[in-house]
Amino acid sequence: MPQRLNLPFGRCVKIESLNIFHNHIEIMYLLDNRYKSLTKIYYPEALLKKLSNKYSEHDLSILYKQIAFFEGLKYLLVFPDSYDVSLIANGLNKSTLELFQIIALKGWSQHNYENKVTSYDGPQIIGDIPAKAYNLPFRSFQSTEELLCANGGGKDSFLMMKMLEQAHI
């Protein structure tokens, strides 16, 4: 386990609240039951309303819960022992957890290396995750459609472009 001598917090990350508004999502994270961290994700005007006209409330709830879950990846920078997702657990599934684990191991490997942490495999996920899998009804792109993909020059943008390329989009 990483040394925590110089870290003022980080043992536990918890999703405390998830709120959906007209044009943004707010996620409140609680670190060690004492530090609050608010994440706001803004979307283009009326996008969330358009989604609610196209998809069921249940499907959107799952999508928003997965956004909240993966937004919590940023807290891996303090090497938490646990990540309490009880509030959103019913919007996650086994494959979501597997993807999170892959990102925790591979996506944060440079951070771990730079901090001389070689034994951190990510946090223990706390919450009753449903065993049953589900699919969200997102449409697939046709290979003749064009998609604009912005690239800020970072590895995340490059990875997204490669994934789209492999999907023939």
Side-chain angles (χ1 to χ4, degrees):
M1 215 17 93
Q3 292 185 351
R4 298 183 183 279
L5 299 176
N6 298 324
L7 295 175
F9 59 87
R11 290 211 175 271
C12 178
V13 175
K14 179 180 182 178
I15 297 177
E16 187 172 66
S17 66
L18 170 62
N19 295 299
I20 312 304
F21 295 94
H22 176 69
N23 67 341
H24 73 285
I25 297 172
E26 288 185 2
I27 312 151
M28 180 66 73
Y29 297 91
L30 185 62
L31 302 141
D32 291 343
N33 292 317
R34 58 186 172 160
Y35 299 108
K36 292 187 177 197
S37 177
L38 179 65
T39 295
K40 292 183 180 184
I41 306 169
Y42 286 88
Y43 293 94
E45 188 66 30
L47 176 65
L48 298 182
K49 178 70 175 163
K50 287 178 187 175
L51 289 175
S52 68
N53 291 335
K54 187 172 184 177
Y55 300 104
S56 74
E57 191 173 315
H58 175 262
D59 290 339
L60 288 175
S61 172
I62 291 169
L63 177 65
Y64 297 143
K65 289 173 182 180
Q66 291 191 7
I67 289 170
F69 180 59
F70 285 105
E71 274 294 316
L73 278 165
K74 61 187 157 219
Y75 298 106
L76 295 188
L77 71 100
V78 294
F79 309 105
D81 297 325
S82 62
Y83 184 17
D84 186 343
V85 298
S86 299
L87 180 76
I88 62 161
N90 65 349
L92 309 177
N93 61 30
K94 183 181 175 186
S95 62
T96 307
L97 298 181
E98 289 170 356
L99 178 59
F100 185 91
Q101 187 68 25
I102 290 169
I103 295 170
L105 288 172
K106 296 182 179 185
W108 283 88
S109 59
Q110 179 178 342
H111 173 72
N112 295 352
Y113 173 78
E114 290 170 350
N115 288 282
K116 298 177 177 57
V117 175
T118 58
S119 61
Y120 185 65
D121 295 333
Q124 174 189 0
I125 305 298
I126 298 171
D128 294 326
I129 310 298
K132 140 183 137 153
Y134 47 78
N135 293 316
L136 290 174
F138 291 112
R139 74 174 182 87
S140 60
F141 279 88
Q142 302 300 318
S143 60
T144 56
E145 291 183 274
E146 289 186 15
L147 178 71
L148 175 63
C149 184
N151 184 338
K155 59 185 176 283
D156 297 336
S157 301
F158 180 74
L159 176 62
M160 182 54 65
M161 288 191 315
K162 283 301 193 184
M163 289 171 63
L164 290 169
E165 182 180 76
Q166 286 181 3
H168 304 288
I169 297 173

